[in-house]
Amino acid sequence: MNRLETLFKTKDQEIINVYCTAGFPELESTLPVMRSLQQSGADIIELGMPYSDPLADGPVIQSSGSTALRNGMTIAKLFEQLRDFRKEIAIPVILMGYMNPVLQFGFEKFCKTAAAIGVDGLILPDLPEREFETEYRAIIQKHGLDFIFLVTPETSEERVRKLDKLSTGFLYAVSSSSITGKDKDFKAVEKYLQRLQNLKLKNPVLVGFGIKDRQTFQSASKYANGAIIGTAYIQAIESSKNIEATTKLFLESVLK
Amino acid sequence: MINSITSFNKGTYKQPNIFGYFGNFGGAYIPEMLHRNVEELATRYIDIMYEEFFQKDYHALLKDYVGRPSPLYFATRLSEKYKTKIYLKREDLNHTGAHKINNAIGQVLLALRLGKKRIIAETGAGQHGVATATVCALKGVECVVYMGVKDIERQAPNVARMKMLGAKVVPATSGSQTLKDATNEAIRDWINNPNDTHYVIGSVVGPHPYPDMVARFQSVISEEMRWQLKEHTGNELPSKIIACVGGGSNAAGAFYHFLDDLSVELIAVEAAGLGVHSGHSAATTQLGKPGILHGSKSLVMQTDDGQIIEPHSISAGLDYPGIGPMHAHLFESGRAKFLSAKDDEALQAAFELTKLEGIIPALESAHALAALKQIHFKPNDITVLCLSGRGDKDLNTYMKVMNVNAE
Ligand SMILES: Cc1ncc(COP(=O)(O)O)c(C=O)c1O
């Protein structure tokens, strides 16, 4: 049983997945940030691989990616940083990024390396499901990685079912058809999550985009298995002098 | 069949397969947030475009509003200079001054058929932004244009035109602050406004069906060229067609109805900036590798790590690190030949055309003109050069050259 499966077996409520950009705020912040997240109670770490043209991200995450790229972050460098991370990080870690850098690295080499160092799954929002099915799924599965698709309030029921079938690990419910970091009308979001809940999907559902504090986290957790926090956490550590303390404070404010 | 997309596995030169691939390039690499809108377009564009009503509206506007057909002009003195026969396809004479209006009219009409209430666009040189703002004024639709901060500075007259036409011009401040970043911002706007908005992409780039849809709207250029050539020369087929390539829409339009006539040599001209290998260039086929940019697989200028490279060209409309998937396929298959022209060569060519023919070309089109020097012509060759736009927007740049020369 892999780490995501084990996690959802033992805990199926108020799962918190925290997104952070690799190589941000400093090039060597990647591991210290991951360590602090584990210590402070994060259930899953979603590690963003910075890209020059991140279409599905909002300005805060894009800017953290630009900083990381200026710091010298690359996929090769990230794998180097993560080489021994399983000696100290036990919680599931997934990589989130865009197709182009992964293709340049070599898709198979990427999956092989990620799996070998202990990464659990991938989110590649610009990999369409047709190409996933015809070209990439076999490679991803061969290396035992989970692959997580996104759904939005605009995604038809039929398509939600299809993407749920294709996903392993969990399903990523974008809380509105909107890029990360924008404020949401949470009443509408709750309705949408209820709709998803009624579909009785195969995968656990985590809600992302617009989750920023205790209230939005709880609201999302009411109808889903938990949520993903990105922009708010990036903002918190952006100018932090002590990442460990900031992360602890941040997660406390969301969880307690 | 013209009004359907082919089910051939690999697509053809002209048409992609049902998944939007021209050979190895194309597709729709988009996040789920764009899926419904792009899927809606992909399932409906062909039906709407070839509706009798739509065709009537579209062609009436092309004729009475844009002023089509655009003339095919025999450039006597230019021909003498290059010891051959050169015709200029005068897209510069279109309303708003470039070929971009052909596509803008098509897409705005299509958006209205889809029930959209708000139009967004990206622009580099400002020609596509002006064209879109113009059609939106004509139809009374809200219009927002994204434009890189750098381009806002170098294309000031077009910014003023868009504003006068009632469009909101939003500066794109991320990345290289040019066309690629304006495109990112427009895509983000579309993600944030999934219900009422249509994104009018200005070139044959983006996720399927955009490359095919824009090529079809621009194909009016080569449709006219065929009968105009017949009138002028007695033969529908020229020896060569030359066009500049940013994303590739004027080239796609000029090549379209000749793609299957293999005797016609197709020549695409990219912007070499300060020189192909100077590190300041936009010559995608020479510098790019297969990759994914703005929703399609194509040739893309990028680092070894897969980060998109910020290109350079003196011409804002060619300052783009990719090309449309149709062109990537034409390049890979050898169906079209790709040349490049540097900033200074394009400037020289602009002054040459002005002096010989009394036509001030857009800096983009001047790249196609600059390629004349690199091509071997026979005296009886018949060449059509797509003069994609006029130079009014570039007068600041041209004046700088004149001032330097005057010193
Ligand atoms: C006059 C003119 N020609 C050419 C281009 C380049 O675009 P494309 O390659 O799509 O024709 C532009 C773009 O702004 C333009 O304004």
Side-chain angles (χ1 to χ4, degrees), chain B residues 91-92 97-100 123-129 155 158 179 202-205 214 218 243-253 269 315-319 323-324 327 361-366 386-391 393-394:
Chain B
E91 294 300 303
D92 62 313
H99 66 293
K100 298 283 182 188
T123 198
Q127 287 303 112
H128 173 59
Q155 304 285 336
N158 273 345
L179 184 51
S203 191
V204 285
V205 301
V214 176
Q218 291 294 357
C244 67
V245 173
S249 67
N250 87 90
V269 187
S315 128
L318 304 183
D319 205 350
I323 49 169
H327 291 292
L363 262 171
E364 290 77 18
S365 324
C386 186
L387 200 70
S388 56
R390 57 181 178 245
K393 69 184 175 60
D394 299 309

Side-chain angles (χ1 to χ4, degrees), chain B residues 109-260:
Chain B
L109 289 183
L110 200 136
L112 293 176
R113 286 299 157 94
L114 291 172
K116 306 290 179 182
K117 305 263 180 295
R118 180 173 172 271
I119 295 293
I120 58 173
E122 86 296 337
T123 198
Q127 287 303 112
H128 173 59
V130 166
T132 307
T134 298
V135 186
C136 287
L138 176 71
K139 291 288 172 188
V141 197
E142 183 188 346
C143 179
V144 178
V145 180
Y146 290 86
M147 188 169 189
V149 170
K150 242 199 239 161
D151 293 336
I152 287 181
E153 282 161 21
R154 59 180 165 174
Q155 304 285 336
N158 273 345
V159 177
R161 290 165 82 197
M162 285 185 271
K163 287 186 178 161
M164 184 160 174
L165 288 159
K168 186 173 157 205
V169 179
V170 182
T173 53
S174 62
S176 55
Q177 310 186 335
T178 61
L179 184 51
K180 125 180 135 62
D181 311 284
T183 308
N184 289 340
E185 295 304 321
I187 292 174
R188 289 213 176 97
D189 179 310
W190 208 21
I191 288 175
N192 283 327
N193 296 283
N195 293 314
D196 62 344
T197 298
H198 174 74
Y199 175 22
V200 180
I201 295 185
S203 191
V204 285
V205 301
H208 175 68
Y210 279 100
D212 182 49
M213 179 171 70
V214 176
R216 285 169 190 259
F217 282 132
Q218 291 294 357
S219 71
V220 65
I221 300 174
S222 50
E223 193 182 314
E224 291 170 4
M225 274 160 57
R226 281 189 88 105
W227 61 258
Q228 289 172 321
L229 277 166
K230 175 108 180 160
E231 260 181 30
H232 277 276
T233 70
N235 185 349
E236 282 188 354
L237 301 182
S239 322
K240 300 178 184 4
I241 302 172
I242 308 174
C244 67
V245 173
S249 67
N250 87 90
F255 295 168
Y256 200 85
H257 290 287
F258 298 98
L259 284 166
D260 298 327

Side-chain angles (χ1 to χ4, degrees), chain B residues 302-335:
Chain B
Q302 53 186 310
T303 64
D304 291 338
D305 188 43
Q307 307 298 337
I308 307 305
I309 286 177
E310 302 177 1
H312 165 85
S313 168
I314 192 171
S315 128
L318 304 183
D319 205 350
Y320 185 72
I323 49 169
M326 175 200 260
H327 291 292
H329 180 51
L330 294 178
F331 173 75
E332 195 184 63
S333 63
R335 175 66 189 94

Side-chain angles (χ1 to χ4, degrees), chain A residues 94-144:
Chain A
I94 50 191
L95 297 181
M96 185 274 182
Y98 292 81
M99 275 300 277
N100 198 56
V102 175
L103 287 180
Q104 291 311 311
F105 187 84
F107 198 88
E108 168 116 42
K109 184 175 144 203
F110 176 84
C111 291
K112 192 174 160 185
T113 315
I117 59 175
V119 166
D120 301 290
L122 305 178
I123 300 180
L124 298 170
D126 60 346
L127 173 56
E129 85 279 4
R130 195 190 76 86
E131 279 73 6
F132 172 78
E133 285 187 87
T134 54
E135 283 181 60
Y136 298 106
R137 177 168 52 185
I139 303 172
I140 294 167
Q141 285 180 347
K142 177 174 152 195
H143 296 286

Side-chain angles (χ1 to χ4, degrees), chain B residues 355-378:
Chain B
K355 201 169 123 213
L356 291 176
E357 300 287 348
I359 298 171
I360 301 176
L363 262 171
E364 290 77 18
S365 324
H367 285 72
L369 291 161
L372 292 173
K373 286 200 166 56
Q374 304 170 27
I375 297 167
H376 175 75
F377 293 104
K378 293 194 204 102

